[in-house]
Amino acid sequence: HDVVKEHEGVIQEKITLAEIRAFRATVAPYEYKFKLKEIPHHNDYKHDEKDLHILSALSEDSRLSTYKIAETVDLSADAIGKRIKKLRACRLIKSFRVLVSFGALGYNLYTVACDFHSYDKSMENTLRTYIKEHPNFIGAHKHIGPHDFILRMIAKDQTDFHEALKDLKRKFADVIFDYDMYLAYKHHCFVPVT
């Protein structure tokens, strides 16, 4: 692989890291792999089949106009707009996001799998704030399994990556006892099934 040649002086061992379960807030397949009755209702708003069609359309392209959605859902654009407002108010839609191609911007994508001595809600909040404010970190996932947290980060080059990693280790020196790091050379993003 080209990535191995490009980083041959740094790579000590090559393994494949597979994420068995990944959840993305921006991708929602049409039926959520649940039956409609199994999806809980929120704040007294009782969603229906048409709401699931709207959610499916928005999960594929959150910039779709209500007029475009109306072409596939048997409702007027105004009715769809009202439903989207209700779906946002009851938090079934949390936000509309852009999926950035970091590779196209010249960044490498890294995964850092961290193990902690112990952590509590306060430390978790500190980590959340740190990840949110640090320019290199783009996300964190709490896990049950061999690692406590999986952190996603971007870096322009190895120096940038190692500086960000050193900063993380300094900030959480008292709780991180081990970590593994992985360079992603391909990132697959799946389109929702409709």
Side-chain angles (χ1 to χ4, degrees):
H1 298 229
D2 293 336
V3 72
V4 175
K5 286 182 181 178
E6 185 180 332
H7 299 282
E8 67 185 335
V10 177
I11 295 175
Q12 296 175 352
E13 178 183 4
K14 187 175 82 165
I15 66 169
T16 301
L17 176 65
E19 197 166 313
I20 304 295
R21 291 184 190 251
F23 301 95
R24 297 192 59 85
T26 57
V27 176
Y30 165 60
E31 289 185 345
Y32 297 91
K33 298 186 180 175
F34 298 106
K35 293 184 174 100
L36 185 61
K37 65 180 180 180
E38 294 175 346
I39 301 172
H41 294 285
H42 297 277
N43 299 341
D44 297 325
Y45 179 65
K46 302 226 182 302
H47 51 269
D48 60 18
E49 193 78 19
K50 292 182 189 236
D51 290 323
L52 295 181
H53 280 286
I54 293 168
L55 290 171
S56 177
L58 290 173
S59 73
E60 290 182 47
D61 183 357
S62 65
R63 295 183 56 182
L64 281 178
S65 71
T66 56
Y67 294 101
K68 199 73 171 159
I69 297 170
E71 293 174 9
T72 61
V73 179
D74 188 28
L75 290 171
S76 70
D78 288 341
I80 289 172
K82 287 177 184 175
R83 283 177 178 251
I84 290 171
K85 285 180 184 174
K86 286 179 183 176
L87 292 168
R88 290 187 75 194
C90 71
R91 305 288 290 153
L92 277 172
I93 295 176
K94 293 172 107 178
S95 66
F96 297 92
R97 299 181 184 186
V98 173
L99 183 59
V100 176
S101 173
F102 293 108
L105 295 173
Y107 287 93
N108 291 314
L109 180 64
Y110 295 87
T111 298
V112 180
C114 295
D115 301 316
F116 292 79
H117 290 293
S118 64
Y119 57 88
D120 57 15
K121 195 67 172 168
S122 172
M123 191 287 301
E124 194 172 323
N125 288 335
T126 303
L127 178 64
R128 182 181 294 117
T129 300
Y130 177 83
I131 296 297
K132 197 173 183 180
E133 294 175 355
H134 197 286
N136 292 87
F137 288 92
I138 59 172
H141 306 271
K142 188 174 179 181
H143 282 260
I144 297 174
H147 302 290
D148 297 315
F149 286 90
I150 303 291
L151 309 178
R152 305 281 188 217
M153 59 186 297
I154 56 171
K156 281 279 189 191
D157 53 35
Q158 293 171 12
T159 303
D160 188 28
F161 169 72
H162 286 289
E163 287 301 317
L165 190 59
K166 281 195 286 188
D167 188 60
L168 173 74
K169 291 189 313 187
R170 267 192 306 270
K171 177 73 176 171
F172 296 96
D174 54 334
V175 290
I176 294 178
F177 77 86
D178 195 17
Y179 66 91
D180 291 315
M181 52 193 174
Y182 307 95
L183 168 65
Y185 70 95
K186 282 189 182 177
H187 182 209
H188 301 280
C189 183
F190 299 98
V191 175
V193 178
T194 56

